[in-house]
Amino acid sequence: MYPPQPYPPMPAPVRRWWQHPALIIALLVVIPPAGIALAWTSRWGQTKKVVATVLAGLWFLTPFLGDPPKKAEADSKPAAVASAPPSASPARAEPPALVGRNLKEAKAMALAAGFGVLSHDASEGNAAQVAEDTWKVCFQSVLTEKAGAIPTLDFGVVRTDAPCPAKDGDPIPYPKMPKVVGLAFAKASETLRPIGFQKIEPQSAYTDVTLPTAVDDWVVCFQEPEEGKEISAPGTTSAALKLASPGTPCPSAPNTRLHPEPVPTHEDDDSGSTASGGSSSGGSSSAGSSSGGSASGGSSSSGGSSSSGGSDSGGGGAGTVTPGAFCSPAGATGVSKKGVSYTCKGPGQPRWRQ
């Protein structure tokens, strides 16, 4: 009898696709619970399955093992961000304060700070700012910004010698000439200085009085411009103050003489005639001593010479004269009783004048 034949070996079990090592490892990393389940259905040894389970479990639990206070703090930060206003964004630079500056200088500073620039007449007019260095900034504002646009400053300006209006677009409040008549020149100058006149000029209220170098204590008798007049361009306007010395009354009108010229009277004319007669007689006597025929001629000649207004002899020197009296010929000279020299001259009919 033949011995029994041995059983043929069992075929190796077929490996399913979900038992592939690459798939199991990927799931252990990405989805640890699924990876662990597949690892225990695989053909891995017992040791490999335990190691894979421990590592995948730690990997899966790590996010849940953090410090609770830090987690709470992390949770509070998103809440704070959520409560912030939606407009919170990187803050732009504040515009520089340029009110009171020259327009040309203000534009340069605004452009350097990253702003666009516009300008307009701040008065009720609409003048163009051609020469920027003759205008000054009274108002500034930031125009409404568009998304992505450069912020722009709008300047309200007036001319440099004009005051700023109370509000943008209001009339310019030009200064008015105050009353300075009756004040000392020093006080009047102090009163007018804030207006910004080009010049404050002292003048004499009397045409025959010359101002000294120092006139601070002289009194203002007349002023130009007149009280209450609007000064629209003080930078090109001069103020003229007519002054009288301390203790001297002001004249009733400008351009008046303090010492009027003497006016000849009829007595002055008679005095001159008498002097002429005396000269004529003297001439006649002198001529008579020479010859009787020439005496009358000498008298006639002396009479002609006597019309010089009380002169002692004919010719260029008239001797003692009466100031203001009529005289001839023009150009003759004489001396008054006080020793003052006078000349026979106009205007008009010749008189003895200084």
Side-chain angles (χ1 to χ4, degrees), residues 34-266:
I36 292 173
L38 292 180
W40 284 96
T41 61
S42 66
R43 296 180 180 179
W44 291 357
Q46 187 71 15
T47 303
K48 288 184 178 180
K49 292 178 180 179
V50 172
V51 172
T53 300
V54 173
L55 294 177
L58 292 175
W59 174 255
F60 179 72
L61 296 176
T62 297
F64 302 99
L65 298 178
D67 190 3
K70 291 184 179 180
K71 183 175 183 299
E73 182 180 353
D75 292 342
S76 65
K77 289 182 179 179
V81 173
S83 64
S87 60
S89 59
R92 61 173 176 79
E94 287 297 323
L98 301 173
V99 172
R101 293 185 178 273
N102 178 281
L103 177 57
K104 185 175 182 180
E105 178 185 0
K107 276 192 172 183
M109 294 179 67
L111 292 173
F115 290 86
V117 178
L118 295 176
S119 62
H120 66 275
D121 191 344
S123 71
E124 57 185 351
N126 191 27
Q129 298 83 58
V130 178
E132 295 179 349
D133 53 352
T134 62
W135 294 78
K136 66 180 179 182
V137 178
C138 290
F139 308 97
Q140 78 174 51
S141 60
V142 181
L143 297 181
T144 304
E145 300 180 18
K146 296 181 180 179
I150 298 176
T152 302
L153 293 180
D154 185 17
F155 294 140
V157 298
V158 298
R159 297 191 183 276
T160 52
D161 58 351
C164 291
K167 293 188 300 183
D168 198 347
D170 281 1
I172 294 178
Y174 287 111
K176 293 185 178 181
M177 182 69 175
K179 179 182 178 181
V180 294
V181 171
L183 300 179
F185 178 73
K187 183 64 176 178
S189 299
E190 182 181 348
T191 303
L192 299 179
R193 193 168 293 115
I195 298 178
F197 282 109
Q198 181 184 31
K199 183 180 181 182
I200 301 175
E201 181 180 4
Q203 299 177 356
S204 177
Y206 292 99
T207 57
D208 59 338
V209 176
T210 303
L211 292 179
T213 304
V215 293
D216 287 349
D217 57 344
W218 283 49
V219 180
V220 179
C221 294
F222 306 98
Q223 66 180 62
E224 181 62 35
E226 298 179 354
E227 177 188 358
K229 183 176 181 181
E230 191 176 77
I231 312 299
S232 59
T236 57
T237 303
S238 295
L241 306 180
K242 294 186 180 296
L243 312 175
S245 61
T248 302
C250 290
S252 58
N255 302 321
T256 303
R257 289 180 61 89
L258 178 61
H259 305 288
E261 293 184 353
V263 178
T265 63
H266 292 293

